[in-house]
Amino acid sequence: MDMYFTQVCLWTTLLSVVLTWAISHVSNRRKKTTNLTDTVAGQERRDGGPDVIIVGAGVGGSALAYALAKDGRRVHVIERDMSEPVRMIGEFMQPGGRLMLAKLGLEDCLEEIDAQKATCLSLYKDGGRAVVPFPVEDNNFPYEPTARSFHNGRFVQRLRQKASSLPNVRLEEGTVKSLIEEKGVIKGVTYKNSSGEETTAFAPLTVVCDGSFSNLRRSLNDNDAEVMSYQVGYISKNCQLEEPEYLHLVMAKPSFTLLCQLSSTEVRCGLELFPGQIPSIANGDMTNFLRNTMAPQVPPKLRKIFLKGIDEGAQIRVMPIKRMAATLSNKKGAIVLGDAFNMRHPSIASGMMVLLSDILILRGLLQPLEYLGDTNKVSQVIKSFYVIRKPMSATVNTLGTAFSQVLIASTDEAKEAMRQGCYDYLSNGGFGASGLMALLGGMNPRPLSLIYHLFVVTLSATAQLLSPFPTPLRIWHSLRLFGLSMKMLVPHLKAEGVRQMLFPAYAAAYRKNYMTATTI
């Protein structure tokens, strides 16, 4: 009996060893076959087709094409319309954006487009004025601390010219209809070329960078863009602001009004309106609204230019202001960038800065990969990219929400106290104003610094609410004000990640890797 039991144990053990070896062998063969297939596919791609397909040749698509092509990648860019875009967004680049542009080797694209230097924010409220410059001294910023304003279309055309000057960039006009997917992996795109013929293009990596109205985003992400309000704008021509290097922001009602020197002879005039409050352009209601409601709130020295465009029949444009948190796709072989990936309120004019930062990060992470056909490695790169971008993106996204909220006029005492508190904080100058401007300009992308300034503004506004002495009603308004502050912050802590926003190591690593000295 003992011998029989021993034999059974020996045979069972032997059978287990054989089965384990067989399973391991088959698994390893499959892995090797997959890796070999990916390697061969990657080699074939290098020998023939592109390494990357980019959908969209706006600021992001063109800049990414140039950066990847400089690293030796073959890039196929498909753009719906190659003519010069006519847009009223993407017309202001913060100092941090200029630094990123320089690091990508594209700083010369701001030349020869009549771009205007901006050095200060000029803020107006209830007859008062606060002039707040970008910090120049002790700013720990390795580039010239000035912004630029310009026609977006001219800038985009310069980027396209720069990208297409490289022999390994193919810039083609066409309309991408869909992504080609196999077993959860994006293989390429289906598109109509300029002749109207439907065709396909394949590459190991597809980058969707087709803007806020992206028709491909839903194929990769399940996040939806929220329309918060509407931006109304027009251009006053043949004029120049008295202080052309200032970005003039009027805290009007219902929200802000903006005047900015767009070129040496043109001024961008813009304002924000909310759903249900948009006068008709067709029947002249918008013109009457701008002339009779908004113009009287504009300071006298700016009013003539504000009215000039209206009186001369300038084309008035209206476009939705959207907000959308960034999320990663669960599909391999593709990545989404730009406004198709992440949007925030344009009041802080920092969308291009975040986009260029993302491109700089992604380009650096992809550089060590010899080929992009290994979807697992590329997926790890994309996950790392999503975390590394947080210091810049979280700072800008949170600041965009907070700043847009304090610009909205309200009869609510708590909201108006926060609005007044922000204006007072900037008008007082000193450390607080320079620190907030460094955040606004992308010169100090540190979420913790933003949280500090937000709480100082909240405490200052609370003190104003409670003075000269606290009453039950004032205490109630103060508690509501604190709640408003939390509503500005908590959703971003959840969306961006508590660790990424609160742990200083992330911001320190970002600054070390992406904000070092660059020659102007």
Side-chain angles (χ1 to χ4, degrees):
M1 184 70 180
D2 291 342
M3 182 177 293
Y4 176 75
F5 178 75
T6 302
Q7 288 178 350
V8 169
C9 290
L10 287 171
W11 281 107
T12 302
T13 303
L14 181 61
L15 182 61
S16 299
V17 170
V18 172
L19 286 173
T20 301
W21 177 85
I23 292 170
S24 176
H25 179 71
V26 171
S27 177
N28 288 335
R29 284 288 298 272
R30 284 179 177 175
K31 283 184 178 179
K32 287 178 180 178
T33 301
T34 301
N35 290 338
L36 181 60
T37 301
D38 286 343
T39 301
V40 171
Q43 186 65 46
E44 289 176 351
R45 191 71 60 192
R46 288 201 303 274
D47 292 343
D51 299 298
V52 184
I53 293 171
I54 299 176
V55 181
V59 172
S62 301
L64 180 64
Y66 178 82
L68 294 181
K70 290 293 284 184
D71 292 339
R73 310 284 186 191
R74 293 179 180 176
V75 185
H76 183 186
V77 187
I78 306 172
E79 164 58 36
R80 181 180 59 83
D81 185 357
M82 293 298 295
S83 61
E84 183 175 311
V86 180
R87 308 174 68 196
M88 63 174 181
I89 59 172
E91 296 178 329
F92 194 86
M93 185 169 289
Q94 301 284 5
R98 292 183 60 227
L99 172 64
M100 301 301 157
L101 200 67
K103 284 185 165 294
L104 291 169
L106 294 166
E107 65 271 29
D108 59 330
C109 291
L110 285 175
E111 300 171 1
E112 300 177 14
I113 60 172
D114 200 14
Q116 302 296 298
K117 180 188 289 189
T119 60
C120 296
L121 171 66
S122 184
L123 194 62
Y124 303 84
K125 185 179 186 297
D126 300 331
R129 183 193 186 197
V131 177
V132 197
F134 291 114
V136 176
E137 298 178 357
D138 302 322
N139 58 19
N140 197 27
F141 182 65
Y143 204 68
E144 181 190 19
T146 60
R148 293 291 186 273
S149 55
F150 44 80
H151 281 277
N152 175 270
R154 297 176 187 175
F155 179 53
V156 168
Q157 291 299 85
R158 286 281 287 151
L159 289 170
R160 289 173 179 174
Q161 292 167 9
K162 185 96 172 182
S164 61
S165 68
L166 299 178
N168 46 336
V169 173
R170 179 189 174 193
L171 199 57
E172 181 182 9
E173 185 168 276
T175 302
V176 175
K177 296 296 184 181
S178 61
L179 300 173
I180 299 172
E181 179 181 348
E182 293 180 12
K183 298 179 182 180
V185 179
I186 303 301
K187 298 292 187 177
V189 299
T190 299
Y191 70 101
K192 276 191 176 182
N193 60 26
S194 56
S195 302
E197 301 170 342
E198 189 165 294
T199 184
T200 57
F202 296 91
L205 180 62
T206 300
V207 182
V208 175
C209 199
D210 55 348
S212 61
F213 296 98
S214 172
N215 64 339
L216 301 178
R217 181 174 60 232
R218 292 184 181 276
S219 302
L220 298 170
N221 295 331
D222 58 1
N223 54 338
D224 292 320
E226 173 194 0
V227 177
M228 298 182 290
S229 56
Y230 291 85
Q231 185 173 349
V232 180
Y234 60 92
I235 294 175
S236 291
K237 297 184 177 181
N238 301 313
C239 57
Q240 188 175 68
L241 292 166
E242 186 178 312
E243 296 161 316
E245 292 191 0
Y246 289 12
L247 179 66
H248 299 271
L249 191 65
V250 184
M251 299 178 77
K253 297 177 183 179
S255 188
F256 71 90
T257 299
L258 172 74
L259 286 91
C260 173
Q261 193 73 45
L262 194 61
S263 71
S264 56
T265 59
E266 297 168 301
V267 174
R268 164 65 70 192
C269 302
L271 60 141
E272 180 182 29
L273 295 176
F274 299 95
Q277 303 177 3
I278 314 297
S280 170
I281 296 176
N283 64 14
D285 287 350
M286 179 66 79
T287 299
N288 292 332
F289 173 79
L290 294 172
R291 180 181 287 113
N292 301 325
T293 302
M294 299 308 300
Q297 300 183 65
V298 176
K301 72 174 188 175
L302 303 174
R303 193 175 303 155
K304 183 178 180 181
I305 289 179
F306 184 84
L307 287 169
K308 190 175 190 296
I310 301 170
D311 295 337
E312 293 178 354
Q315 183 180 11
I316 300 173
R317 296 178 178 272
V318 178
M319 66 166 295
I321 292 175
K322 300 179 181 181
R323 176 174 59 195
M324 185 178 69
T327 58
L328 282 178
S329 173
N330 58 4
K331 296 178 181 177
K332 296 180 178 180
I335 185 170
V336 188
L337 287 179
D339 283 348
F341 176 54
N342 186 199
M343 286 182 276
R344 78 288 303 158
H345 198 283
S347 59
I348 59 172
S350 298
M352 286 191 296
M353 178 172 67
V354 174
L355 173 55
L356 293 170
S357 170
D358 285 351
I359 291 171
L360 187 65
I361 295 167
L362 184 63
R363 182 251 191 112
L365 292 174
L366 289 175
Q367 277 177 333
L369 301 185
E370 184 178 353
Y371 70 98
L372 304 178
D374 190 330
T375 55
N376 291 324
K377 287 184 178 180
V378 172
S379 294
Q380 289 302 315
V381 162
I382 294 172
K383 289 177 182 178
S384 298
F385 156 77
Y386 185 70
V387 174
I388 294 171
R389 72 186 293 269
K390 292 295 184 177
M392 177 64 83
S393 65
T395 301
V396 169
N397 291 340
T398 308
L399 182 59
T401 296
F403 200 54
S404 67
Q405 290 299 306
V406 301
L407 290 175
I408 300 173
S410 176
T411 55
D412 183 296
E413 287 196 41
K415 292 181 178 180
E416 184 56 33
M418 177 65 86
R419 193 170 187 245
Q420 185 65 46
C422 180
Y423 174 80
D424 292 341
Y425 192 67
L426 287 170
S427 62
N428 288 335
F431 170 78
S434 63
L436 203 52
M437 286 298 291
L439 288 166
L440 183 69
M443 301 164 64
N444 182 31
R446 295 178 186 269
L448 266 180
S449 296
L450 174 58
I451 293 170
Y452 163 79
H453 289 288
L454 178 60
F455 274 98
V456 172
V457 170
T458 302
L459 291 174
S460 175
T462 300
Q464 290 293 324
L465 269 179
L466 293 174
S467 64
F469 56 86
T471 65
L473 183 59
R474 288 172 179 166
I475 292 173
W476 168 242
H477 286 316
S478 298
L479 292 174
R480 290 181 57 248
L481 190 151
F482 183 76
L484 289 171
S485 180
M486 289 296 97
K487 284 180 69 175
M488 295 176 186
L489 178 61
V490 172
H492 290 283
L493 283 172
K494 181 180 178 181
E496 307 288 352
V498 174
R499 281 196 312 164
Q500 287 83 354
M501 287 192 69
L502 299 184
F503 283 26
Y506 287 95
Y510 178 90
R511 174 172 285 278
K512 178 182 178 182
N513 293 324
Y514 304 105
M515 298 194 71
T516 53
T518 296
T519 304
I520 298 178

